[in-house]
Amino acid sequence: MYGRVLVHHKGHASARKFFNSYTAPSYDFVVRTTTFGRDAAWKSQILAEIRTRKKVLDLACGTGILAAMVDAGSRGRVTGLDLTFEYLQMARRKMPLACVQATAEAIPYRDGTFDAVISSYLAKYVDLRALAGECWRVLAPGGIAVFHDFTCPENPAMHGLWRLYFAILRVAGELARSSWKGVFCDLDRVICESHWTGALQEALQERGFAGIKCKRYTLGTTGMVVAKKP
Ligand SMILES: C[S@@+](CC[C@H](N)C(=O)[O-])C[C@H]1O[C@@H](n2cnc3c(N)ncnc32)[C@H](O)[C@@H]1O
């Protein structure tokens, strides 16, 4: 049975504020430039985890950057899911992606449909227990879940530099009257308040996932959590 989980989480408000028809057209450019090109490298780490998996669900696929990488690697069939219609439209312009507008906390697919569930920049916006439950449900036995997102750097010096970087982004966003200025204002706070790596590992363990591991990248500014359904 699917579509049972209906939750309200503070991350939903941020997601609805950040992702809309104003930010969708420039999303690919903004993510590439603001991460200094590291976005592609982080996404390659996700692909390395799913290797030969054939039926892949990209949760919060956005404009389809990650889904296109899965497709290009001929790793199998990829399905995209996202909350925001305008982002899905951008993804469909890139590739004939099978996609659905839905929340990751109520995935509209039957139990055991996929052998890999992946996501990039979703974890800080969702109820992580609901996410873990839905990933468990739609994964077939032996399936793998890979979650990547920004993290708050723990090293004090790095943390200071990271905050400074966001302060610069905020000024640049204001001066350029960018559609992204609201995102640049709030994103560092949303990241630091989410504590998603620890909370997600706990939720995955509670749900019964095994082989859970967490890696940090680029001086602690992003992280990846991987888990397997036995
Ligand atoms: C920063 S974008 C990331 C897009 C893509 N994964 C990437 O790596 O480029 C975040 C995406 O998460 C989606 N999103 C946020 N909360 C969501 C939720 N609860 N369920 C599904 N999608 C969600 C937004 O609509 C947006 O497209």
Side-chain angles (χ1 to χ4, degrees):
M1 195 45 197
Y2 55 77
R4 289 170 301 175
V5 187
L6 287 175
V7 288
H8 293 284
H9 184 266
K10 63 180 178 179
H12 297 170
S14 303
R16 292 200 187 276
K17 180 177 161 191
F18 294 172
F19 307 109
N20 48 49
S21 57
Y22 298 107
T23 56
S26 53
Y27 175 80
D28 290 20
F29 172 77
V30 168
V31 77
R32 194 168 53 244
T33 51
T34 56
T35 64
F36 305 104
R38 296 305 299 157
D39 177 63
W42 297 329
K43 285 178 166 59
S44 298
Q45 296 293 331
I46 300 175
L47 299 192
E49 292 291 339
I50 61 171
R51 290 201 177 95
T52 55
R53 311 287 173 151
K54 293 285 179 220
K55 291 164 90 182
V56 180
L57 175 64
D58 181 7
L59 287 179
C61 64
T63 61
I65 302 174
L66 180 59
M69 287 170 77
V70 176
D71 201 50
S74 301
R75 284 159 199 269
R77 212 175 44 156
V78 58
T79 300
L81 175 151
D82 201 281
L83 200 59
T84 312
F85 178 72
E86 291 83 357
Y87 274 63
L88 287 171
Q89 270 186 320
M90 300 299 297
R92 288 297 298 265
R93 280 184 206 164
K94 272 190 199 124
M95 56 192 284
L97 179 70
C99 58
V100 61
Q101 185 181 12
T103 171
E105 293 126 311
I107 301 173
Y109 290 99
R110 292 185 189 286
D111 300 4
T113 305
F114 300 98
D115 54 20
V117 175
I118 55 178
S119 75
S120 185
Y121 311 123
L122 167 70
K124 63 188 169 302
Y125 300 119
V126 289
D127 180 304
L128 295 169
R129 293 182 80 183
L131 177 68
E134 281 295 84
C135 289
W136 175 274
R137 187 182 63 72
V138 298
L139 277 173
I144 187 167
V146 187
F147 310 89
H148 160 259
D149 205 340
F150 292 118
T151 50
C152 193
E154 283 158 15
N155 175 286
M158 189 56 209
H159 187 89
L161 280 175
W162 187 77
R163 290 283 190 185
L164 176 65
Y165 173 62
F166 274 97
I168 294 167
L169 272 186
R170 275 191 269 282
V171 173
E174 280 294 337
L175 290 178
R177 298 184 178 196
S178 165
S179 50
W180 286 88
K181 65 182 183 184
V183 181
F184 299 156
C185 269
D186 285 353
L187 188 57
D188 51 348
R189 178 188 53 79
V190 172
I191 294 166
C192 285
E193 283 178 6
S194 86
H195 304 289
W196 71 270
T197 51
L200 179 58
Q201 287 178 85
E202 264 179 44
L204 291 166
Q205 196 160 19
E206 250 176 51
R207 192 59 199 82
F209 280 92
I212 300 168
K213 58 182 181 181
C214 178
K215 297 181 189 173
R216 299 290 288 266
Y217 299 99
T218 318
L219 303 171
T221 56
T222 73
M224 189 166 79
V225 170
V226 182
K228 288 182 181 145
K229 179 172 174 176

